[in-house]
């Protein structure tokens, strides 16, 4: 049985097809999110050249999650990204107790029980600082690709001090550091440390309990991950597919709904919508 999970974020759309609630047989990402062609591009990518061949008719159930979930009418159900991230991460890493998810437009810290239930969360969705948007703006100013920020940060010997927390002021500060001859790599390390400090405030508020997992697109930035470890003083574990945990959780919920229905019972409290 195949189930589909779609996560429509602010910056990127992700999709996962799961077989029998166990193995990921397809995944696809479009680097554009809510209100764009992202969802249709992901759907196309999931099914084209699929091996074994798959069509939308082969999908037994689907769940959509993420910031743009209200705009996607093809899925059977909508479930919040908090529930889906918790589900996806716990499936991959059952020792997870703290999840730091940094996406394109928000950052959240989720606390899980040993059974994988979402105990509580704290979130920043009011300000670009401490989100992927901050890094995207800085990459633009520095004329580097966002994918290269981690590698460049590792080359730094003396990270710059970026003291502004606001994205707009930090942008001016970065320009001024470069104008004063500071190396790009040092400025990038400074930016990574600045975002790590900002996020650590959220993590301390939620409480640090190991295993600490990082997800979302910013988990692909090894410079930020290392700075987070420095600030939090705990190792950070990355799932193999950090940007897909929401879509994976959605596909798992789709599977559980069918399974529970087939068994004649729908568990209460499953999938806070
Ligand atoms: P959302 O779900 O809000 O759309 P994502 O979790 O997909 O966001 O994360 C998007 C952010 O992740 C981008 O703003 C970017 O800063 C960062 N990002 C995405 N891909 C990479 C990558 N390969 N390397 C480093 N950072 C990345």
């Amino acid at each position: 049985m195949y189930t589909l999970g779609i996560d429509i974020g602010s910056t990127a759309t992700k999709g996962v097809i799961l077989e029998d609630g166990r193995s990921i047989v397809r995944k696809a990402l479009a680097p554009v999110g809510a209100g764009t062609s992202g969802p249709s591009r992901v759907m196309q990518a999931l099914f084209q050249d699929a091996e074994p061949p798959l069509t939308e008719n082969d999908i037994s159930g689907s769940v959509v999650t993420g910031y743009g979930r209200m705009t996607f009418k093809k899925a059977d159900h909508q479930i919040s990204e908090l529930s889906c991230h918790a589900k996806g991460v716990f499936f991959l890493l059952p020792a997870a107790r703290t999840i730091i998810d940094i996406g394109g437009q928000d950052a959240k810290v989720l606390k899980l029980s040993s059974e994988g239930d979402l105990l509580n969360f704290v979130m920043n969705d009011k300000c670009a600082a401490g989100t992927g948007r901050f890094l995207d703006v800085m990459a633009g100013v520095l004329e580097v690709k966002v994918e290269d920020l981690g590698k460049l940060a590792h080359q730094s010997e003396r990270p710059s001090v970026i003291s502004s927390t606001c994205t707009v002021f930090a942008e001016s500060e970065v320009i001024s550091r470069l104008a004063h001859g500071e190396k790009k790599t040092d400025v990038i390390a400074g930016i990574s440390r600045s975002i790590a400090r900002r996020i650590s405030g959220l993590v301390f508020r939620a409480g640090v309990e190991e295993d600490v997992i990082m997800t979302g697109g910013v988990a692909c930035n090894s410079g930020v991950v290392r700075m987070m470890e420095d600030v939090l003083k705990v190792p950070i574990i990355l799932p193999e597919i950090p940007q897909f945990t929401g879509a994976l959780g959605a596909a798992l919920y789709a599977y559980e709904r069918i399974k529970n229905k087939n068994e004649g019972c729908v568990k209460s409290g499953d999938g806070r919508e």
Side-chain angles (χ1 to χ4, degrees):
M1 185 205 329
Y2 296 106
T3 55
L4 168 71
I6 297 277
D7 176 8
I8 307 176
S10 62
T11 314
T13 307
K14 286 76 67 175
V16 160
I17 298 175
L18 199 61
E19 186 174 8
D20 295 333
R22 271 199 304 266
S23 42
I24 296 174
V25 288
R26 297 285 293 168
K27 63 179 169 49
L29 180 149
V32 279
T36 69
S37 60
S40 55
R41 281 163 63 182
V42 163
M43 288 296 279
Q44 207 182 358
L46 284 172
F47 294 105
Q48 80 187 8
D49 307 326
E51 200 48 62
L54 276 179
T55 68
E56 287 186 43
N57 293 334
D58 296 316
I59 301 297
S60 304
S62 56
V63 165
V64 63
T65 187
Y67 173 75
R69 64 185 182 275
M70 304 298 177
T71 58
F72 190 77
K73 305 292 176 210
K74 282 187 169 180
D76 302 329
H77 301 281
Q78 298 175 4
I79 295 181
S80 86
E81 62 255 50
L82 290 167
S83 297
C84 288
H85 275 293
K87 185 82 158 171
V89 170
F90 193 75
F91 175 79
L92 296 171
L93 299 165
R97 298 294 177 270
T98 309
I99 304 170
I100 305 167
D101 179 78
I102 315 178
Q105 197 170 271
D106 63 22
K108 23 193 186 289
V109 181
L110 288 68
K111 297 301 300 286
L112 301 189
S113 73
S114 54
E115 277 79 46
D117 296 322
L118 181 61
L119 297 176
N120 80 43
F121 70 94
V122 286
M123 187 162 179
N124 160 35
D125 59 356
K126 299 279 180 284
C127 171
T131 72
R133 179 79 191 131
F134 177 83
L135 293 162
D136 299 343
V137 169
M138 298 309 157
V141 175
L142 290 153
E143 296 180 289
V144 298
K145 289 191 200 143
V146 78
E147 301 90 282
D148 293 335
L149 287 173
K151 180 178 69 188
L152 291 166
H154 292 308
Q155 291 167 21
S156 165
E157 281 161 13
R158 278 184 51 185
S160 303
V161 176
I162 307 291
S163 42
S164 309
T165 44
C166 166
T167 306
V168 177
F169 291 143
E171 188 179 355
S172 315
E173 207 179 338
V174 164
I175 294 167
S176 136
R177 294 268 178 267
L178 294 172
H180 283 90
E182 288 188 30
K183 285 191 200 158
K184 245 184 207 188
T185 48
D186 291 340
V187 172
I188 292 168
I191 289 165
S192 312
R193 187 157 61 190
S194 151
I195 194 167
R197 287 208 172 124
R198 178 113 191 163
I199 300 290
S200 66
L202 285 184
V203 187
F204 289 131
R205 256 170 59 204
V208 185
E209 191 186 342
E210 293 186 58
D211 287 353
V212 180
I213 317 295
M214 227 172 120
T215 61
V218 176
C220 303
N221 182 327
S222 56
V224 175
V225 176
R226 198 177 69 180
M227 291 292 185
M228 288 296 311
E229 288 182 320
D230 274 4
V231 178
L232 297 176
K233 312 263 182 277
V234 289
I236 287 180
I237 295 162
L238 299 178
E240 265 175 54
I241 45 164
Q243 219 169 347
F244 287 89
T245 49
L248 170 61
L252 284 162
Y253 270 123
Y255 173 76
E256 283 183 4
R257 291 189 95 104
I258 297 167
K259 203 168 144 251
N260 291 338
K261 206 160 124 194
N262 290 347
E263 286 167 6
C265 61
V266 177
K267 271 199 249 164
S268 62
D270 241 7
R272 281 152 281 239
E273 286 170 46

